[in-house]
Amino acid sequence: PPARTQGTGTETPVDDFRQVIDLGQLTSDDTVTLARTAAEAIRGLNRTTNSPAGLDQPSAAYDIIGALSLTASRLPQLITQITRWLGQAASTGRLGHDFGEDPATAVEATAIFLDAARRSAAALSGDLDAAWQQLAPVNGTPRPARTSQQDQP
C-alpha cells in the first residue's frame, strides 16, 4: 500500500519501511529519505501530543511510549553501522575533506560523539521501556474519590 496521503479517504499508515523505498534498487538517497521520514514522524508526534484530541487516553500514551522505546532500541545498531562505514571509508581512502585536511581526524572525532549517542540511545530505550511498564495498569476510568473519617458527619 502507498504511504499516507492527506485527505484521500484511503490513507494507510507506513507500517513497513519497504512502503517508502525499494530494497531492490536501494541508494543512499533512499536511506536519507528514511531518516528524514523518521524525523518528520517525531515532529508530527510533538504536534499531535500537544492536542487534547491527539492524546486523550492513557492507552494512547502507553502505545506511544512503547513505540518510542522500540524506536530508541533500534538506534544503537544504526549508529554502529554508520560509525563502521565511516571508519572503513576513511581507512580505504574513499573520503576527502573540504579544507584539504586528513578526513580521518574528523571521522575519529565523529566516532567519539556517535559512540556517546549510541550509549545515550540505549539508555533512552531502557528508560522509555521502564516508563511503559509503569504505565501499563493505568486506565482512563478514575476511581471514585475516597472519603476520610473527617469528611463523614
Side-chain angles (χ1 to χ4, degrees), residues 15-74:
D15 8 64
D16 189 308
F17 69 92
R18 290 169 288 199
Q19 290 174 266
V20 178
I21 63 166
D22 178 3
L23 284 177
Q25 300 178 3
L26 183 64
T27 68
S28 287
D29 288 343
D30 294 325
T31 306
V32 171
T33 296
L34 285 175
R36 289 180 178 162
T37 300
E40 193 59 24
I42 297 299
R43 178 176 176 238
L45 286 169
N46 287 340
R47 181 162 184 175
T48 60
T49 57
N50 196 34
S51 165
L55 189 58
D56 64 351
Q57 287 293 320
S59 61
Y62 176 82
D63 289 343
I64 293 165
I65 292 168
L68 291 174
S69 175
L70 180 59
T71 300
S73 76
R74 292 174 173 169

Side-chain angles (χ1 to χ4, degrees), residues 37-152:
T37 300
E40 193 59 24
I42 297 299
R43 178 176 176 238
L45 286 169
N46 287 340
R47 181 162 184 175
T48 60
T49 57
N50 196 34
S51 165
L55 189 58
D56 64 351
Q57 287 293 320
S59 61
Y62 176 82
D63 289 343
I64 293 165
I65 292 168
L68 291 174
S69 175
L70 180 59
T71 300
S73 76
R74 292 174 173 169
L75 289 173
Q77 177 184 351
L78 173 62
I79 293 167
T80 297
Q81 291 168 181
I82 292 169
T83 304
R84 183 183 323 123
W85 182 88
L86 286 168
Q88 290 171 347
S91 68
T92 57
R94 293 185 296 169
L95 303 178
H97 192 285
D98 289 348
F99 304 119
E101 298 172 12
D102 182 3
T105 303
V107 169
E108 289 168 10
T110 299
I112 291 168
F113 287 106
L114 287 175
D115 185 56
R118 181 189 54 75
R119 287 184 275 117
S120 294
L124 174 63
S125 174
D127 288 344
L128 286 168
D129 185 67
W132 184 57
Q133 291 176 34
Q134 292 299 310
L135 190 58
V138 176
N139 64 55
T141 307
R143 182 171 64 184
R146 294 183 188 180
T147 58
S148 68
Q149 293 292 352
Q150 294 175 333
D151 293 340
Q152 295 181 2

